[in-house]
Amino acid sequence: MRRSKSPISSSLKKSSAKLDENSLLSGWARIVDRIVQGEKLKRPIVTVGPTPDILKAYGLPGTSLVMTVGKVATCRREHPDVPLAVWHDLPKLMADPLAIFPSQRRDGSVVILLLVSDHNGDPILVAVSPGDGSANVILSVYGKEAGFPWVIKEIASARADGLPTYEGKDFAATLPQPPVVETTSSSHGLIPSNGTAKPKRDILSIRK
């Protein structure tokens, strides 16, 4: 039985074959603004920028990063806590991530932990599917509630399965630390100095 060609795969090949202003990294922010404003673009797929070197080293094809216009609009609508400034700087943020690890689907797609938080203070994740030779597709951009425990669990699971993971030099510094305790003459013994665990170093918070 002949396999039918995927519509998105065909569109990706056409999009990659003829590069226009949408493929320019400096134009990505303008593209996002046009989509957010509801403008209809000529093509259903836009180029975010080239695949960052760190993602190539991880194993993704050395091609471009793309995203469908519909997916950009959907992510903005369903995850409004992700600042618009993060969308504008997405290519640069993806080039210097905190961590990269396989998605739960184990289909070759990966999850990227950015060095920024959303308006709720939750870490922002980007899901990417490896391309078929044409481009790597960004599937979603969203803030993950209680994200750090989930990320740690996913990295541990990937390692247990023998899959590659990447942790940036600042990754450990962003993780929540146990509360500090102090000795006291009180009969209660050890008492937390502040009562709550906080990140050792806050991840960046971009608001706009």
Side-chain angles (χ1 to χ4, degrees):
M1 180 183 294
R2 275 182 79 183
R3 295 178 60 187
S4 59
K5 292 185 178 179
S6 168
I8 188 169
S9 177
S10 299
S11 297
L12 285 173
K13 290 179 180 178
K14 291 179 181 178
S15 179
S16 299
K18 186 179 180 181
L19 299 178
D20 56 10
E21 71 276 4
N22 288 356
S23 68
L24 298 176
L25 192 60
S26 61
W28 167 245
R30 291 194 297 273
I31 294 171
V32 170
D33 288 340
R34 290 168 64 188
I35 295 173
V36 171
Q37 292 165 8
E39 181 179 340
K40 290 186 177 180
L41 304 187
K42 293 182 179 179
R43 298 185 180 186
I45 297 170
V46 291
T47 302
V48 181
T51 300
D53 290 340
I54 186 66
L55 295 183
K56 294 179 186 178
Y58 183 83
L60 292 184
T63 56
S64 58
L65 282 170
V66 301
M67 195 169 187
T68 66
V69 172
K71 184 62 70 173
V72 174
T74 298
C75 287
R76 283 291 298 163
R77 183 176 64 254
E78 295 182 351
H79 307 287
D81 291 318
V82 174
L84 185 59
V86 169
W87 280 94
H88 288 167
D89 291 338
L90 193 59
K92 182 166 57 177
L93 292 169
M94 291 182 67
D96 186 23
L98 273 177
I100 307 171
F101 50 94
S103 74
Q104 292 179 332
R105 293 187 289 185
R106 298 295 193 259
D107 59 356
S109 57
V110 301
V111 179
I112 301 166
L113 173 64
L114 302 182
L115 184 63
V116 287
S117 63
D118 65 12
H119 288 318
N120 294 322
D122 295 320
I124 295 175
L125 303 174
V126 180
V128 180
S129 176
D132 57 359
S134 54
N136 298 306
V137 184
I138 296 178
L139 303 175
S140 187
V141 179
Y142 60 101
K144 180 70 174 179
E145 187 176 359
F148 279 117
W150 182 82
V151 167
I152 294 171
K153 178 182 177 182
E154 289 302 303
I155 289 177
S157 176
R159 287 176 175 171
D161 290 342
L163 298 174
T165 63
Y166 164 80
E167 296 174 27
K169 56 181 173 52
D170 293 327
F171 178 72
T174 64
L175 301 180
Q177 303 296 311
V180 178
V181 296
E182 300 174 346
T183 58
T184 175
S185 58
S186 167
S187 59
H188 296 295
L190 299 179
I191 298 177
S193 63
N194 53 23
T196 58
K198 296 182 179 180
K200 183 178 180 182
R201 182 177 68 78
D202 291 335
I203 58 178
L204 302 179
S205 180
I206 297 180
R207 298 180 180 275
K208 185 172 181 180

